[in-house]
Amino acid sequence: MRRFTWFNATSLTLGFVFLYLPMVILVIYSFNASKLVTVWAGFSTRWYGELLGNQAFLDAAWVTLKVAVASSTLATVLGTMAAYVLVRSGRFAGRTLFSGMIYAPLVMPEVITGLSLLLLFIGIGLDRGVLTIILAHTTFAMCYVSVVVSSRLVSFDRSLEEAALDLGCTPFTAFRLVTLPIIAPAVVSGWLLAFTLSLDDLVIASFTAGPSATTLPIKIFSAVRLGVSPEINALSTLMIAIVTVGVITASLISKRASLAQQRDAQAAARAQ
Amino acid sequence: MAQTVFAPWDNPDEKPLIQFKNVTKRFGDFTAIDNLTQDIYTREFFALLGPSGCGKTTMMRMLAGFENPSEGQILIAGQDMAGVPPNKRPVNMMFQSYALFPHLSVWDNIAFGLRREGAEKTQLAARVEQMLKLTRLERFARRKPHQISGGQRQRVALARSLAKAPKLLLLDEPLGALDKKLRQDTQFELMDIQEKTGTTFVIVTHDQEEAMTVASRVAVMDEGRIMQVATPAVIYEQPNSVYVADFIGDVNIIEGAATPHPQADGYSVAWAEGQPQFHAKTNRSFAPGQKCFLALRPEKVAISAEPPEEAANRIQGKIIDIAYLGNISTYHVRLPNGTMMKAQTANTRRLSRRSLTWEDAVWLSWTDTAAAVLEG
Ligand SMILES: Nc1ncnc2c1ncn2[C@@H]1O[C@H](COP(=O)(O)OP(=O)(O)O)[C@@H](O)[C@H]1O
Ligand SMILES: [Mg+2]
């Protein structure tokens, strides 16, 4: 059987063009020597150099990085804890409600999340800045982390923890020495996911950022409103690169982990 | 007499190590353990035997602290275990699923428990090496659990649970994945360890031969209850019920009506219309005509071509089938009324010299003490 019929090839091409053409154009024009975005004037890395000299962009990049690292780390800790409790606690009154509530922010419109966080921060009198963006990002990234981690925990063999307890661990050391190392790939890919989500978030950040702190997406968005510049293209290209690396790493890690898990399961089945 | 027999359960002054007191365990409305009371003594090798799902693992898990009794009390060394978490109990368990830590090497798996109690480095290494040697795993010390075979994994699990030299060791079907030869070796190894360390073992098995080999006492379980607890020999020779007799080894069960024998101190058992009654001695008492069961082990039934003289019980039949097992043969004999009966003989002669064969008319005979007379 031929796998690439005329029809298949066309639809594949159309789909990919649709997805990636805009980005490819952006990347190509970031290497444009001309100041006019739409006129090609030869290859140059000039705008990347210029970017490094732009203090406002560098500041925004620094804020974005701080926010992404801090919020994804916090979200990973909280999300893992939430996943662990929900998967482990078995049945208790309101369990379905709780697990549903953990995942609700995934489908909540970002505008609403952003707005409600803004109201909260104003309500408790917290000045908007880096801290508020971190808190806001932690809130929504946590759900993603807990989804990723709990899907791993569901297939985690409970008797491993029991064996650890039996050999003298407290519940906490059992978690640290046995559970965590085994679910680590899921935790790491949860972190990477949270990191990339924070990196490219515009909506929630716009609500919770203050004059003292602006993230890159906000900066780009406001800059573009004054006209697209080649500098913005260069900056966006860099962000595409970072996000791509993050996502690919996350998926490689979870792929490898699930392969290892399959292999262990097969080995265990052979042993029976 | 040379040695005193190990039988702490007969000594009223002996303090049991483990006490189950009216323990019931329910999962939802399913009763897994049903009002169970049992003592287990220090240095015992206590075997739990029973069909799958009868509650053996549940008993172990309650001892280890992973399940709490729904009712009743469990005491270890006189201390009530209610509310004592698994890591605070002087108990180690070998899991039926092994539960080896996949991210740690065989060596680190075995060292895990020792590290938790903060064992000193050289001592820890020495202990791990000793365990590796005992379970013949030296060559695999650096491997991960998924890089070794099922039998090897089982040995790692055993070594890991032994490493801390616990007061009480729970083994849940420890030898299931081993082939016969290695299983026997390991059984003797376990008994040896037990002798050396004085550890008390509770072992779950569904292999009755294994239970008979290793155990000081065997408990035969059914649906969350212990049917009989006794030494392997007593379980085998004097089962207290048809269930136990049937569960352990091969047995002929003959239903009949008991009548006290006029002269001897036993009973005559009418078991089939028009057939001679069987005679059996027992210290149970039956009312005249009471229903009873004779449990007769095949190896206690003699088989011969000529009518035997002076046998308390004898009956003629025809050989229908012969199961040749190398060292012994089991003859399936049809009695005149159609009942099948098994008789077993040791093959002390070569095959060609044996006289009995298919369709031969033969005599079966046994003494009046050969069969156990049971109420049900
Ligand atoms: N956590 C549980 N929840 C519900 N039922 C259980 C649970 N654990 C065991 N059971 C039930 O209790 C019975 C005894 O199980 P178990 O002790 O594992 O039997 P076995 O003698 O084969 O080891 C089984 O019928 C099993 O289905
Ligand atoms: Mg079991």
Side-chain angles (χ1 to χ4, degrees):
Chain A
M1 203 183 88
R2 277 165 63 211
R3 276 202 285 174
F4 281 98
T5 62
W6 173 86
F7 177 74
N8 285 355
T10 315
S11 27
L12 195 69
T13 315
L14 271 178
F16 271 90
V17 166
F18 201 79
L19 274 176
Y20 288 104
L21 188 64
M23 278 192 246
V24 171
I25 289 174
L26 183 139
V27 171
I28 290 173
Y29 275 100
S30 76
F31 293 104
N32 190 356
S34 161
K35 190 156 180 59
L36 294 166
V37 178
T38 46
V39 180
W40 181 254
F43 179 85
S44 151
T45 54
R46 167 182 164 199
W47 302 112
Y48 288 88
E50 209 118 308
L51 196 62
L52 287 179
N54 187 329
Q55 194 55 44
F57 276 142
L58 288 183
D59 285 347
W62 180 233
V63 168
T64 308
L65 195 67
K66 272 195 294 194
V67 167
V69 169
S71 70
S72 58
T73 306
L74 258 175
T76 303
V77 173
L78 292 175
T80 304
M81 273 160 48
Y84 189 77
V85 172
L86 284 174
V87 172
R88 272 307 133 76
S89 54
R91 265 175 288 161
F92 60 87
R95 181 178 187 282
T96 320
L97 183 68
F98 262 106
S99 54
M101 274 164 64
I102 279 276
Y103 301 143
L106 292 185
V107 291
M108 192 69 74
E110 288 191 345
V111 176
I112 306 229
T113 313
L115 185 61
S116 57
L117 282 163
L118 174 65
L119 292 177
L120 174 73
F121 293 142
I122 292 172
I124 61 174
L126 199 57
D127 277 345
R128 278 174 290 150
V130 174
L131 179 64
T132 48
I133 314 176
I134 289 174
L135 290 178
H137 281 184
T138 304
T139 313
F140 87 95
M142 183 193 132
C143 328
Y144 289 88
V145 174
S146 92
V147 170
V148 172
V149 172
S150 65
S151 71
R152 174 65 186 92
L153 272 177
V154 166
S155 63
F156 182 87
D157 180 5
R158 188 85 208 260
S159 66
L160 293 178
E161 273 169 16
E162 290 179 341
L165 292 177
D166 188 65
L167 292 166
C169 283
T170 60
F172 178 71
T173 42
F175 177 78
R176 189 168 58 84
L177 296 172
V178 175
T179 316
L180 196 56
I182 296 172
I183 63 165
V187 175
V188 171
S189 57
W191 187 88
L192 281 167
L193 187 62
F195 184 82
T196 47
L197 283 171
S198 163
L199 215 56
D200 70 9
D201 166 69
L202 171 65
V203 179
I204 293 176
S206 326
F207 277 101
T208 52
S212 63
T214 311
T215 65
L216 265 186
I218 298 178
K219 192 82 200 158
I220 293 172
F221 188 70
S222 52
V224 165
R225 278 197 294 191
L226 306 173
V228 183
S229 76
E231 245 177 320
I232 295 284
N233 284 350
L235 182 61
S236 308
T237 304
L238 287 179
M239 284 186 73
I240 290 174
I242 293 172
V243 171
T244 308
V245 168
V247 169
I248 289 177
T249 315
S251 69
L252 279 184
I253 287 174
S254 60
K255 173 121 190 212
R256 260 191 40 195
S258 80
L259 278 181
Q261 203 183 330
Q262 251 173 32
R263 191 187 52 203
D264 287 353
Q266 276 166 5
R270 270 202 306 278
Q272 296 305 305
Chain B
M1 282 300 284
Q3 266 175 311
T4 50
V5 188
F6 176 74
W9 48 89
D10 286 337
N11 180 356
D13 296 334
E14 193 78 34
K15 288 254 182 303
L17 178 67
I18 304 169
Q19 290 167 282
F20 281 87
K21 290 185 173 172
N22 302 98
V23 173
T24 296
K25 175 69 189 174
R26 287 186 213 93
F27 295 107
D29 47 12
F30 175 79
T31 305
I33 297 291
D34 189 4
N35 193 19
L36 185 142
T37 299
Q38 180 62 45
D39 290 348
I40 299 173
Y41 293 86
T42 308
R43 303 185 73 95
E44 260 208 88
F45 210 126
F46 194 87
L48 293 172
L49 195 56
S52 176
C54 70
K56 307 180 295 289
T57 300
T58 306
M59 265 184 84
M60 298 286 229
R61 291 175 58 81
M62 288 195 292
L63 275 176
F66 302 126
E67 306 280 1
N68 295 315
S70 313
E71 277 166 34
Q73 251 187 332
I74 296 175
L75 283 79
I76 298 181
Q79 191 197 349
D80 189 351
M81 284 291 121
V84 180
N87 52 324
K88 296 272 161 41
R89 297 191 180 199
V91 176
N92 280 141
M93 176 157 172
M94 177 186 160
F95 289 74
Q96 196 170 1
S97 63
Y98 317 150
L100 298 180
F101 304 129
H103 60 300
L104 299 179
S105 67
V106 167
W107 207 97
D108 290 324
N109 261 284
I110 298 174
F112 192 90
L114 298 166
R115 291 214 168 103
R116 300 289 80 67
E117 53 184 30
E120 191 264 321
K121 234 182 181 152
T122 51
Q123 262 172 7
L124 179 143
R127 180 72 181 158
V128 174
E129 294 301 332
Q130 192 187 352
M131 288 298 118
L132 286 168
K133 190 151 168 256
L134 182 70
T135 46
R136 289 180 244 161
L137 286 165
E138 294 109 316
R139 288 191 301 128
F140 307 104
R142 295 286 147 219
R143 300 229 190 138
K144 291 281 178 65
H146 67 262
Q147 294 165 322
I148 57 178
S149 77
Q152 288 159 353
R153 251 178 264 161
Q154 198 162 45
R155 273 141 62 201
V156 178
L158 184 62
R160 188 180 68 178
S161 59
L162 279 170
K164 286 179 80 172
K167 250 203 269 185
L168 172 60
L169 192 57
L170 308 174
L171 307 170
D172 198 348
E173 310 216 1
L175 313 177
L178 305 186
D179 54 54
K180 194 170 167 115
K181 184 79 180 66
L182 189 55
R183 185 156 77 219
Q184 283 174 348
D185 288 354
T186 316
Q187 282 166 3
F188 287 113
E189 205 75 66
L190 281 179
M191 292 192 282
D192 201 40
I193 290 167
Q194 206 251 4
E195 211 119 288
K196 279 190 200 132
T197 60
T199 307
T200 307
F201 282 70
V202 178
I203 181 171
V204 164
T205 173
H206 57 229
D207 174 358
Q208 46 124 337
E209 207 176 304
E210 184 171 294
M212 305 297 273
T213 312
V214 298
S216 61
R217 279 194 301 168
V218 175
V220 180
M221 293 184 67
D222 185 32
E223 296 183 347
R225 276 167 303 138
I226 292 184
M227 306 302 287
Q228 184 174 11
V229 186
T231 60
V234 170
I235 289 270
Y236 190 78
E237 303 286 351
Q238 300 158 37
N240 66 359
S241 60
V242 172
Y243 177 84
V244 173
D246 206 19
F247 195 80
I248 308 275
D250 221 351
V251 71
N252 295 298
I253 303 283
I254 303 160
E255 188 180 337
T259 319
H261 198 279
Q263 297 105 39
D265 49 352
Y267 290 87
S268 297
V269 178
W271 62 283
E273 202 80 26
Q275 296 296 324
Q277 300 199 340
F278 292 145
H279 302 287
K281 287 185 177 162
T282 178
N283 41 26
R284 285 192 181 77
S285 50
F286 292 85
Q290 189 182 338
K291 184 162 111 172
C292 72
F293 296 87
L294 293 174
L296 183 59
R297 300 282 178 201
E299 74 276 9
K300 299 205 165 58
V301 180
I303 184 165
S304 58
E306 300 302 319
E309 300 186 4
E310 305 252 339
N313 298 288
R314 62 178 196 179
I315 189 162
Q316 211 170 6
K318 195 155 97 178
I319 297 178
I320 298 301
D321 202 1
I322 305 174
Y324 174 69
L325 301 173
N327 54 346
I328 53 169
S329 289
T330 304
Y331 296 89
H332 295 249
V333 176
R334 181 155 63 212
L335 304 185
N337 69 336
T339 308
M340 295 299 295
M341 193 141 163
K342 282 176 267 184
Q344 220 167 48
T345 56
N347 292 329
T348 48
R349 294 176 172 201
R350 300 284 297 273
L351 198 57
S352 54
R353 309 248 335 253
R354 262 176 268 139
S355 53
L356 300 175
T357 182
W358 284 267
E359 301 292 322
D360 279 0
V362 289
W363 285 89
L364 300 180
S365 59
W366 61 93
T367 65
D368 54 4
T369 52
V373 191
L374 305 169
E375 285 165 23

